[in-house]
Amino acid sequence: MENNEPVDQERRKFIKTVCMGVAAVALSPAAFKILGPSEALAFVQNTKRRWVFLVDTNKCIGCGFCVKACKQENEIAYDAPVSRTWVERYVVKKDGDTLIDSPKAGRDGFIDAAIEGQAVPPSEIAKGFFVPKLCNQCENPPCVQVCPVGATYQIKEGIVMVDRKWCIGCGYCIEACPYSARFFNPELKVAEKCNFCYHRTVKGLKPACVQNCPVGARQIGNIKDPDDPVTKIVLNERVSVLKEEYGTDPQAYYLGLDRSVR
Amino acid sequence: MHNHVIRPFLVVLAVFVILITVRHFFVPKDFKVGDRGFMYSYHRQGNEKEWADFKVKYQSREYCADCHDENFKKIIASPHKIIQCENCHGPAVGHPDTIEKLPIDKSRELCERCHTKLNYPTSLRGQIKGIDPQQHYPGKECCSCHDPHHPNGPSRTVDNNLAGTNLKETGAAINGK
């Protein structure tokens, strides 16, 4: 049909223009840079350092100096009920009841023998102990996967970091963490979490909580170094991790963990 | 040319081009895939540097030793050698240059962190010498009787005639044990 011809020509011209336009945009490499192929494959198989944490719950005395030091070192609002690390107290009674508390995240220690408002007489206590907790720096961190803007990421030493300038404060990562190790920074309005005091470890210092623990209940080590004392314990002693069933491969190891600990 | 076909297509194209352009100017140049691949480390590389430059506040007690060697030596020789100075005096960043004196915390709560008696059989805490804050001279500063840097030394108080005496014996005398 002859009256269709001009339309066809125009269509061809149009498609041509569009293709060229798209090609032009595509060729401007910086504009189209979503992910280069070599970058997509940039997995590092042999890093020299992978930080892990070791918590000895047999040793912890619940003084709370780790929480105090962490908050001051990392400039976390001192009186807000949030913290990068916290200490939980467990009292398992002889009748099987378990009482758990963590007043002010354990910042001021446990100076009251009463727990959850109950004064348990010593004769009724089967076991009582403290469990310090912090980010597990998981090998498969679910919090990183859910970030819609790439504001949280894992570095080669295994530590999960938060980009405070890039975070939009949507809170997905806080929901995604099975350990509740993340929280909303009330001052900066961004997601907040422990990063094993990255600013200290890069300078060869120990994290603030490790340095300030009077009893050595908290330790950091490099699991890739077979001579590291922490590595030796993790490899040779009976250690456990929290919530293994989530498949996050947590890297904070615990000695003396009780089944009442969640 | 059928406008109703082309127009929406143009709109989609325009939106796409605008998005790409905005993205180009908005996303920082150093946004790259890091060491753990795209899933775990697509990020702004400069942020690592920003964190590395974060200020260190806790200095550890080796830093204090140079200037306060008396306190240092004293505490190292006592059961309190396990406690870092900064746990009781606060982070020492800027001291003594900008912060002339570090705070001195004389509250009972500081000592009660470790010395409130908690009878926990499976914890190291149960083994530390403890007191019941409600019974053990309530209302008085611990440091008026005990030296925080040398708690196992002689008593230091003057207000109740315990000064310089051995706490064990005095306590027994006071409590009639």
Side-chain angles (χ1 to χ4, degrees), chain A residues 35 44 61 63 68 73 75 89 107 110-111 128 139 145 153-154 162-163 199-200 203 211-212, chain B residues 23 33 35-36 40-41 43-44 47 51-52 56-58 60 82 87 113 116 120 122-123 125:
Chain A
L35 185 62
V44 168
I61 55 173
C63 67
K68 181 184 174 188
E73 178 74 32
E75 297 171 22
R89 164 165 70 171
R107 186 195 77 190
F110 297 81
I111 63 174
E139 193 62 18
Q145 293 177 31
Y153 56 96
Q154 196 175 32
V162 176
D163 184 340
H199 61 295
R200 294 176 65 94
K203 297 181 185 84
Q211 185 176 75
N212 287 293
Chain B
R23 196 177 174 281
V33 173
D35 303 300
R36 288 288 333 269
Y40 292 126
S41 58
H43 69 287
R44 203 166 58 86
N47 185 239
W51 274 116
V56 169
K57 280 135 209 133
Y58 278 80
S60 102
I82 57 171
N87 282 333
R113 282 168 176 263
T116 297
Y120 296 164
T122 55
S123 167
R125 173 65 173 263

